[in-house]
């Protein structure tokens, strides 16, 4: 006998008398009946408080319960196909746990700044609960995917002595007597050491970028998963990325359809996310832009509008590979067939959601990598350990990073990345 029964367990209790605990999501009344909508985090349940079935005190209490007051309700579970969740409760008792006076988020529309100021409460709203459940399902799919394929979870440090993705977006701190240290932008360089030790590894954790970008795609603290594989070339890397994205989307469709429906997501667009995905070179991508009347100079990075144009030509994620080496990170291997381009890939989500994956084959030659580090004006002595990986049994290896929040934004079909993490950190906000 368990003390705590949750709404999503009710199928096991039909016809039984149970006690549930939670909060008032909504309520309405019609004469002798009060309808209390209980939410307990696992679902929503209509509780029918009929005047004839409870004491006058309980009926009055049911009438007085305000939005988000916490309470306990006892009653008999009924199957009711027309009700949210498919069940109803015929209440025999209601007990107040704690009041909620003037709950600030009412069913009326609120401005986004007001909602983010109240993020700690906004998280209780139906859509926000749905987004958090989808985020969790995606995180689980990420772990399952790699665990089922022989990868080892490998946790890189968060405090690092140098940049991995360029120096412009580093969060800096004083580190005791050792001078400056930085919050990690990516676990990749450490994952490379992991791949040479364990074959196939993945990191999964928070990363930080002091991005000055105030866009709907940028957070200053976001979660990234980064697989890194010894003996993988760029093609192997793209094959894995494609299988990975299909797995994530199909897992969400299998287990979180109700939440996608709450968000009014067009599910057919997600059902279509099946391999193979289109692959276009950067050169071909530039041609697509030109063919659509967009001025774009070879050598520039693709902006958000360019990405949207390219992805609008496809109904699946599109893999853009072989970018100009000049605009990419120092660690990327050049294409032996064309030294101007790097063996890099970005995966652009459909429907204008932009880049969700960045990856590459890594430079594995010692002398070439030394050159690259110098060209990028990076301090060679900090990379001594990283260069060792090219000195002692260097092998071809590749990997990629998928941004969790951008992936959740796309799968949920929502406007802005800020709703996909419990407490978003952005250039203009670090509260609550
Ligand atoms: O393309 P990025 O910068 O790649 C790397 O960090 C590589 N070290 C990954 C690797 O090869 N192991 O970032 C990877 C992904 C992007 O595609 C995007 O989804 C996400 O991380 N991302 C952000 N998400 C939210 N806010 C930001 N400011 C982000 N910057 C990158
Ligand atoms: Mg990128």
């Amino acid at each position: 006998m368990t003390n705590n029964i949750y709404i999503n367990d009710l199928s096991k209790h039909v016809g039984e008398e149970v006690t549930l605990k939670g909060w008032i999501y909504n309520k309405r009344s019609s004469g002798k009946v009060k309808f209390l909508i209980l939410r307990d985090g696992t679902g929503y349940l209509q509780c029918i408080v009929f005047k004839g079935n409870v004491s006058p005190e309980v009926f009055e209490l049911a009438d007085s319960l305000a939005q988000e007051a916490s309470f306990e309700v006892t009653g008999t579970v009924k199957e009711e196909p027309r009700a949210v969740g498919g069940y109803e409760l015929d209440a025999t008792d209601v007990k107040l746990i704690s009041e909620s006076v003037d709950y600030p988020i009412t069913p009326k529309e609120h401005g986004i700044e007001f909602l983010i100021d109240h993020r700690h409460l906004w998280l209780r709203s139906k859509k926000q609960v749905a987004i958090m459940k989808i985020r969790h399902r995606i995180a689980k799919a990420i772990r399952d995917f790699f665990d089922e394929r022989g990868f080892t979870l490998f946790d890189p440090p968060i405090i690092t002595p140098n940049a991995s993705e360029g120096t412009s977006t580093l969060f800096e701190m004083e580190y005791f007597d050792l001078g400056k240290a930085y919050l990690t932008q990516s676990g990749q360089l450490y994952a490379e050491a992991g791949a040479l030790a364990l074959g196939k590894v993945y990191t999964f954790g928070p990363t930080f970028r002091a991005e000055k970008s105030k866009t709907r795609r940028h957070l200053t603290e976001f979660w990234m998963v980064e697989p890194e594989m010894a003996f993988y070339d760029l093609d192997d890397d793209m094959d894995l990325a494609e299988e990975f994205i299909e797995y994530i989307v199909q897992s969400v469709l299998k287990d979180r359809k109700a939440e996608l429906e709450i968000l009014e997501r067009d599910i057919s667009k997600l059902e279509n996310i099946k391999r193979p995905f289109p692959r276009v070179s950067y050169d071909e991508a530039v041609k697509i832009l030109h063919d659509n009347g967009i001025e774009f100079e070879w050598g520039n990075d693709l902006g958000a509008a360019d990405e949207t144009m390219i992805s609008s030509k496809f109904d699946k994620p599109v893999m853009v590979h072989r970018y100009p080496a000049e605009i990419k990170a120092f660690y990327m291997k050049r294409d032996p067939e064309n030294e101007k381009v790097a063996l890099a890939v970005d995966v652009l989500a459909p429907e204008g959601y932009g880049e969700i994956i960045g990856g590459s084959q890594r430079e594995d030659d010692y002398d070439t990598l030394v050159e690259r580090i110098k060209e990028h004006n990076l301090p060679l002595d900090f990379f001594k350990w990283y260069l060792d990986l090219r000195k002692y049994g260097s092998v071809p290896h590749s990997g990629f990073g998928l941004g969790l929040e951008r992936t959740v934004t796309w799968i949920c079909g929502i406007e802005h990345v800020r709703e996909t993490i419990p407490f978003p950190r952005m250039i203009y906000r670090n509260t609550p």
Side-chain angles (χ1 to χ4, degrees), residues 216-218 265-266 269-270 304 307-309 311-312 347-357 405-417 420:
R216 62 193 186 91
R217 295 178 185 172
H218 287 90
R265 182 67 167 108
D266 181 347
K269 293 226 161 68
L270 297 177
E307 289 181 353
T308 301
M309 166 53 77
S311 64
S312 74
V347 182
L348 312 180
E351 303 171 71
Y353 281 96
E355 179 198 329
I356 51 170
I357 280 185
E405 290 76 16
R406 288 199 193 165
T407 305
V408 179
T409 308
W410 162 49
I411 292 177
C412 289
I414 58 180
E415 188 56 31
H416 202 295
V417 74
T420 63

Side-chain angles (χ1 to χ4, degrees), residues 165 209 301 328 345-346 355 357-359 406:
E165 299 303 310
R209 306 235 175 136
D301 207 354
K328 288 292 185 185
V345 60
D346 277 4
E355 179 198 329
I357 280 185
R406 288 199 193 165

Side-chain angles (χ1 to χ4, degrees), residues 71-231:
F71 70 111
E72 198 179 291
V73 57
T74 302
T76 308
V77 182
K78 276 197 317 196
E79 253 173 306
E80 175 48 76
R82 284 166 303 172
V84 266
Y87 300 93
E88 254 178 14
L89 196 78
D90 267 332
T92 50
D93 197 16
V94 178
K95 288 196 185 103
L96 179 70
I97 298 173
S98 190
E99 283 185 287
S100 163
V101 180
D102 297 334
Y103 186 70
I105 303 178
T106 58
K108 71 165 193 177
E109 290 276 311
H110 295 282
I112 184 67
E113 287 306 314
F114 180 87
L115 289 171
I116 312 195
D117 281 341
H118 294 86
R119 182 65 176 162
H120 49 295
L121 301 176
W122 187 26
L123 285 163
R124 301 181 186 190
S125 303
K126 207 174 212 168
K127 286 194 171 172
Q128 299 306 312
V129 167
I131 295 168
M132 287 305 125
K133 289 194 182 212
I134 292 170
R135 177 186 168 104
H136 172 225
R137 188 63 191 85
I138 292 172
K140 176 172 158 49
I142 287 170
R143 292 191 300 264
D144 289 348
F145 179 85
F146 292 116
D147 294 349
E148 287 164 9
R149 282 163 184 74
F151 285 67
T152 301
L153 176 65
F154 188 80
D155 301 316
I158 301 260
I159 299 172
T160 61
N162 57 261
S164 64
E165 299 303 310
T167 50
S168 65
T169 64
L170 287 170
F171 280 110
E172 206 176 274
M173 69 180 106
E174 288 301 326
Y175 196 81
F176 306 104
D177 296 334
L178 299 180
K180 299 221 182 305
Y182 310 92
L183 291 179
T184 185
Q185 300 162 307
S186 154
Q188 179 199 318
L189 306 189
Y190 297 96
E192 289 183 53
L196 271 60
L198 294 149
K200 295 192 286 187
V201 298
Y202 70 104
T203 72
F204 191 19
T207 50
F208 305 86
R209 306 235 175 136
E211 302 257 17
K212 296 269 159 53
S213 322
K214 193 178 159 181
T215 79
R216 62 193 186 91
R217 295 178 185 172
H218 287 90
L219 295 168
T220 54
E221 176 178 332
F222 64 97
W223 279 59
M224 184 157 44
V225 52
E226 296 183 90
E228 188 72 31
M229 298 74 62
F231 307 109

